[in-house]
Amino acid sequence: MLKCGIVGLPLCGKSTMFNVITRAGAEVKSYAGGKTEPNRALVNVPDARFDSLVRIFEPKKATPATVEFVDLAGLSRDASKGAGLGNSFLSFVSESDALLHVVRVFENADVPHPENSIDPLRDWRIVETELIYRDLGVIENRLSRLAGKKKSAGQKQGDPDEVELLKKLQDHLLEERPLREAGISDAQKKALSGFTFLTLKPELVVLNLDEKQTGPQPQAEALEVFLKEKGLLSLRLFGSLEMDLAQLEPTVQAEFMKDLSIEELGRDRLIHDAYRMLGRISFFTTGKDEVRAWTIYDGDNAVDAAGAIHSDLARGFIRAQVVSYDDFFRLYGQGGCSHGDPKAGNATMTACRDKGVLRLEGKEYRVKDGDMIEIRFNV
Ligand SMILES: Nc1nc2c(ncn2[C@@H]2O[C@H](COP(=O)(O)OP(=O)(O)O)[C@@H](O)[C@H]2O)c(=O)[nH]1
Ligand SMILES: [Mg+2]
């Protein structure tokens, strides 16, 4: 399951964002934990294509893509040295596939700021520094374990390549630079995959604004420019307002949005961007029994896609029948096609073939976001 951990300083709006994400009817499951267990929720990834496939096929079961969001306790300055929840907090971060980093831009005299002033760029850096020091701690532990092994005779010594790489990364981190900027190759990343480094995780930065902050926001812009140079994605959201909106009935919500001249909820964009940031794409399987969105890596091939459905499909893979959602929608979206009723399962692929939009693809085919796929296999 894909996990996205919400990080940020105390009182920056993490729980607010968690509620924005989960309380709009798309929540599948949520369980509040105690003080040490964070809140978690499994959230459907909004996808208009999936919704229209469900409308067209009217399946017995509809299974969208999901991401789990985890609302972590605030990360204080010096957490890596044990301040606040310290290391137990950081262990929850390490099990996340990606980070949603919330930064406070909103002014609110009733909500104290742990650093006593509003400064989004500074706040982002404080959290980044804590993540860097936690990664440094992991490397130092590993290096001292390997050095210990060397002394006790007869034991397998540390792999010299590993030691060399870790030392290089250690120097890099000591300059307070994140590992994502260390020029680590894909092969090295693979070798390091057991470490769950926090500064290697994809990160989406959410600037939490107050709805009154509609004019130019120099502080927010300073952070955005900085992040853009670093190649990190960011987006702005009115946390409190969106949380209030998320709790309204859809029709009432629409009225409020009209009154406030808000065209689009940030929520859907946030979940969508988080999904993309995770480096994932969806392909669809369709039929009258089930319409389902499957999650794979951007870059996966047809056999990987088959394997996501079932290992037998990957093992006995012969061919993938593929039609892009857009082609399918052009044929069927506006109601039916003389060649076949989409609800009749297989007829869909046959009709698409007759229309010349069905492709037969082999093992090496790189699956595209929004492909509708049927695997031919034999085991
Ligand atoms: N005015 C305003 N207050 C906000 C906004 N987002 C959060 N807050 C308030 O800030 C406080 C802390 O928010 P919370 O989500 O609990 O922060 P957390 O500690 O990061 O989980 C709460 O009282 C929120 O109502 C916002 O966009 N505007
Ligand atoms: Mg909170």
Side-chain angles (χ1 to χ4, degrees), residues 9-16 106-108 111 208-210 238-240:
L9 291 180
L11 301 175
C12 66
K14 295 179 299 301
S15 297
T16 303
F106 69 85
E107 310 258 2
N108 183 344
V111 180
N208 184 16
L209 279 79
D210 191 85
F238 299 132
S240 277

Side-chain angles (χ1 to χ4, degrees), residues 8-200:
L9 291 180
L11 301 175
C12 66
K14 295 179 299 301
S15 297
T16 303
M17 287 306 159
F18 181 78
N19 286 325
V20 167
I21 292 165
T22 57
R23 284 220 189 130
E27 177 186 322
V28 181
K29 192 172 62 178
S30 152
Y31 34 95
K35 284 207 180 74
T36 49
E37 257 295 303
N39 294 322
R40 298 162 184 272
L42 202 57
V43 175
N44 296 341
V45 178
D47 186 338
R49 301 168 306 187
F50 177 82
D51 295 342
S52 85
L53 289 174
V54 170
R55 269 194 307 276
I56 295 168
F57 284 89
E58 297 174 359
K60 293 193 192 106
K61 194 174 165 203
T63 312
T66 56
V67 175
E68 185 182 51
F69 285 87
V70 185
D71 178 21
L72 301 159
L75 181 69
S76 335
R77 201 186 261 282
D78 294 337
S80 57
K81 296 180 197 143
L85 279 177
N87 290 325
S88 76
F89 161 82
L90 289 164
S91 74
F92 284 119
V93 184
S94 70
E95 64 170 52
S96 305
D97 299 294
L99 307 181
L100 200 76
H101 184 159
V102 181
V103 182
R104 172 169 174 176
V105 182
F106 69 85
E107 310 258 2
N108 183 344
D110 297 332
V111 180
H113 190 296
E115 302 289 320
N116 300 312
S117 64
I118 303 297
D119 186 343
L121 181 52
R122 172 204 60 203
D123 291 355
W124 183 85
R125 281 191 163 128
I126 291 173
V127 171
E128 170 94 332
T129 305
E130 292 308 315
L131 303 179
I132 286 171
Y133 276 102
R134 185 272 184 187
D135 285 351
L136 187 59
V138 168
I139 289 187
E140 285 170 349
N141 277 343
R142 177 70 182 157
L143 283 174
S144 69
R145 290 232 337 257
L146 291 174
K149 270 188 187 170
K150 236 178 234 174
K151 278 182 210 130
S152 52
Q155 268 204 356
K156 191 174 158 268
Q157 292 195 352
D159 171 3
D161 287 348
E162 185 191 351
V163 172
E164 192 191 329
L165 175 59
L166 289 178
K167 284 199 169 142
K168 196 187 119 201
L169 299 180
Q170 183 184 30
D171 290 342
H172 179 88
L173 289 164
L174 281 168
E175 290 169 22
E176 301 206 343
R177 289 162 68 204
L179 292 177
R180 76 179 83 84
E181 291 169 15
I184 300 172
S185 70
D186 284 347
Q188 288 172 329
K189 252 184 207 161
K190 225 171 209 168
L192 295 169
S193 65
F195 287 107
T196 65
F197 289 124
L198 306 185
T199 62
L200 269 185

